[in-house]
Amino acid sequence: MPLIDMYQRPGFLLRRAHQISAAIFEANCAEKGLTQAQYGALMVLQEEPGIDQTRLARALAFDKVTVLRVLRGLAQRGLVVRELSQSNRRQMSLRLTAEGKQLLIQSAAPVQQAYEQLMAPLAPGQREQFIALLQQITDGLGEQARAAFVPLGPPSSGG
């Protein structure tokens, strides 16, 4: 196979697009010291205070080692608190600290700037099509992923 064929393979292009996406995100959020993985964890914790590590990992499609590494970094920065769950003493319950909530608010503009920069090469209709195609791939092949993805449902009404 000629090298040019490899460069046009979906796997190569997806990996390259991920590299670019991560670089753009981290450049825009460098002042906040935030990675895509950390931002994702903070967003889930904002929506689901008290979630356990296993559900957090599944909500982000992370393996156990990755979610633990992300949580340790966030906890060291005082953005997340891990404590024993009230309902199951064998699980850790996670929640944002006031500092974590504040960082999410402060990072909204840089995160949006990163999104706009990443999608800039595409026209509005192409953006929708691109997202739809990525969704189709991930939905159709998700069972083959190394880490399970279980999106969170609507917010619980228990408070």
Side-chain angles (χ1 to χ4, degrees):
M1 162 190 352
L3 193 55
I4 190 70
D5 289 348
M6 183 194 73
Y7 291 152
Q8 295 173 353
R9 295 275 183 164
F12 180 87
L13 292 169
L14 286 168
R15 183 181 58 78
R16 186 74 180 127
H18 178 263
Q19 290 173 330
I20 293 166
S21 173
I24 289 171
F25 186 95
E26 290 176 18
N28 278 275
C29 295
E31 188 177 297
K32 305 298 178 198
L34 212 54
T35 66
Q36 289 175 317
Q38 292 168 339
Y39 179 74
L42 293 174
M43 288 294 294
V44 171
L45 292 174
Q46 176 180 263
E47 292 297 315
E48 193 80 21
I51 193 172
D52 64 77
Q53 289 178 202
T54 300
R55 283 189 62 223
L56 175 64
R58 290 180 181 153
L60 295 168
F62 287 167
D63 59 54
K64 291 178 182 180
V65 173
T66 300
V67 81
L68 189 56
R69 181 178 43 81
V70 169
L71 287 172
R72 280 187 183 146
L74 293 173
Q76 287 173 350
R77 292 175 58 189
L79 304 172
V80 171
V81 174
R82 300 183 322 169
E83 40 198 20
L84 283 176
S85 170
Q86 297 295 332
S87 60
N88 183 345
R89 303 304 265 174
R90 294 178 299 176
Q91 289 183 329
M92 296 300 288
S93 175
L94 306 163
R95 66 177 173 80
L96 292 179
T97 62
E99 292 84 0
K101 292 175 185 176
Q102 188 61 34
L103 181 60
L104 268 180
I105 292 167
Q106 294 170 349
S107 63
V111 167
Q112 183 62 32
Q113 289 168 351
Y115 171 82
E116 294 298 332
Q117 187 177 350
L118 180 64
M119 300 301 270
L122 303 175
Q126 290 176 313
R127 292 177 182 196
E128 291 175 19
Q129 183 181 20
F130 176 65
I131 296 299
L133 290 170
L134 287 174
Q135 192 69 58
Q136 188 174 348
I137 289 171
T138 58
D139 288 349
L141 300 173
E143 293 175 4
Q144 297 180 44
R146 292 183 182 149
F149 174 56
V150 181
L152 296 177
S156 58
S157 58

